[in-house]
Amino acid sequence: MCLLSTISKPELVFQDSDEQKFRRWVFYEYNATVSVFWSPFLVNGTENDYSKGIRHNTLYLDTPNEKWATELDKIDVVVFSCGHWFVQRAIYYGEGNQLLGCNSVQEVNCTNFNFLDAFRKVLRIALKEVTKRHFKLEKNVVVATFPSAHFEGEWDKFGACPKTEPYKEGDTEMPHLENDMRKLAIEEVAMAVKDVKEMNGGLKIEALDVTKLALLRPDGHPGPYLFPNPFANGMKERVLNDCLHWCLPGPIDTWNALLLELMKRWNDA
């Protein structure tokens, strides 16, 4: 949105009244609409809320979140971007609200259910939902792969996000989590593409593979500067670091440039 608004002024036409996690802008000059849907799991469920004593997520892995699913008919390009929330504590339910298992929830008597399996089921159900509705149409779906975090030590210890320059090739190795999440997304995209081809559909589905690009940018996070002037009263041993989210200049610019190239390629095909 920051980049697009340098070319054309958007008008905010909708936002939910509570947490403003769902928003829609219109660029009238170009007859274009951009919508943001907060759905970190893509499926129905409830998020943890420590203020209310809810210390885990509850997910229904077979039911796409209606917030975005009911809007699919109005969307020409869908970008799915999720992953990090799946490593959190969670209880999983499947078809018919059947308990499938838990991830690190000791308070509930249930078997362990790997969060990677949950992530795979969610991506598969999301892509099947789009395919079911749009396989005949010239619409486009992008799945962004898992970007890396770069914490070094404890998240609230000074120096946990210290890098000021990108890594060079060979300076670091892909961690298992990032590699597994990326591989999983690539596999599910390939399966969805195969399904569309077998149905002779016009829907285009591609992965936006940003995992390695993100891995090489440990300098691209807010770090201790998540909030202004963290050291105004002197240096601290403990400080809130954000080495998970990303600053717009740099990495996000690159991902947007790749997304633009995908869209231009579709247009030229």
Side-chain angles (χ1 to χ4, degrees):
M1 285 303 300
C2 292
L3 296 174
L4 292 174
S5 62
T6 64
I7 302 300
S8 178
K9 183 178 180 180
E11 180 177 331
L12 181 66
V13 295
F14 172 80
Q15 65 180 16
D16 64 309
S17 58
D18 298 327
E19 299 182 12
Q20 300 182 17
K21 290 184 174 180
F22 301 92
R23 284 172 284 180
R24 180 174 294 115
W25 295 266
V26 175
F27 295 84
Y28 288 105
E29 181 182 358
Y30 294 95
N31 190 29
T33 300
V34 177
S35 300
V36 175
F37 302 88
W38 171 254
S39 182
F41 300 108
L42 300 182
V43 293
N44 287 331
T46 56
E47 299 168 19
N48 57 43
D49 189 339
Y50 287 93
S51 66
K52 297 179 181 179
I54 303 173
R55 304 181 64 83
H56 60 264
N57 305 297
T58 301
L59 306 182
Y60 298 88
L61 301 181
D62 291 314
T63 53
N65 190 324
E66 296 176 358
K67 293 287 188 179
W68 61 264
T70 55
E71 297 286 325
L72 282 174
D73 292 339
K74 307 170 188 176
I75 301 175
D76 297 308
V77 179
V78 178
V79 180
F80 289 125
S81 178
C82 69
H84 285 90
W85 280 60
F86 281 86
V87 304
Q88 296 182 358
R89 292 155 45 92
I91 300 176
Y92 306 113
Y93 292 89
E95 187 175 356
N97 292 341
Q98 178 184 2
L99 179 63
L100 298 178
C102 307
N103 174 38
S104 302
V105 181
Q106 289 78 25
E107 306 93 291
V108 177
N109 183 22
C110 63
T111 58
N112 181 63
F113 194 88
N114 194 308
F115 68 85
L116 289 170
D117 295 330
F119 183 49
R120 184 182 294 278
K121 287 180 68 69
V122 163
L123 272 186
R124 186 169 298 178
I125 197 71
L127 290 171
K128 282 186 177 295
E129 186 72 14
V130 182
T131 303
K132 177 178 69 176
R133 293 170 182 255
H134 293 320
F135 78 93
K136 291 183 178 180
L137 303 179
E138 291 289 337
K139 296 203 174 189
N140 308 288
V141 181
V142 176
V143 177
T145 63
F146 192 81
S148 182
H150 292 94
F151 286 102
E152 297 187 11
E154 301 172 67
W155 67 271
D156 63 342
K157 184 173 177 60
F158 178 74
C161 195
K163 295 294 189 296
T164 58
E165 295 181 355
Y167 285 129
K168 294 182 176 64
E169 187 75 28
D171 282 352
T172 186
E173 295 182 358
M174 183 80 70
H176 290 298
L177 173 63
E178 281 83 340
N179 187 59
D180 291 343
M181 295 289 271
R182 174 193 174 274
K183 182 173 180 286
L184 188 156
I186 298 293
E187 291 172 350
E188 290 305 311
V189 167
M191 182 179 296
V193 169
K194 181 180 178 182
D195 290 343
V196 172
K197 286 183 178 179
E198 290 177 351
M199 294 186 289
N200 295 317
L203 179 68
K204 297 182 180 68
I205 305 176
E206 293 200 46
L208 183 67
D209 191 356
V210 301
T211 304
K212 186 173 181 180
L213 296 176
L215 179 67
L216 296 177
R217 291 303 305 268
D219 59 318
H221 304 284
Y225 300 97
L226 177 62
F227 299 105
N229 305 314
F231 306 114
N233 298 319
M235 300 298 291
K236 305 173 184 177
E237 182 179 349
R238 298 286 175 178
V239 61
L240 178 62
N241 286 278
D242 189 347
C243 319
L244 178 63
H245 296 91
W246 298 85
C247 302
L248 176 65
I252 302 293
D253 286 339
T254 304
W255 304 349
N256 283 329
L258 292 175
L259 178 60
L260 177 60
E261 289 303 313
L262 276 183
M263 298 174 69
K264 287 166 63 178
R265 189 172 69 194
W266 294 331
N267 192 51
D268 294 338

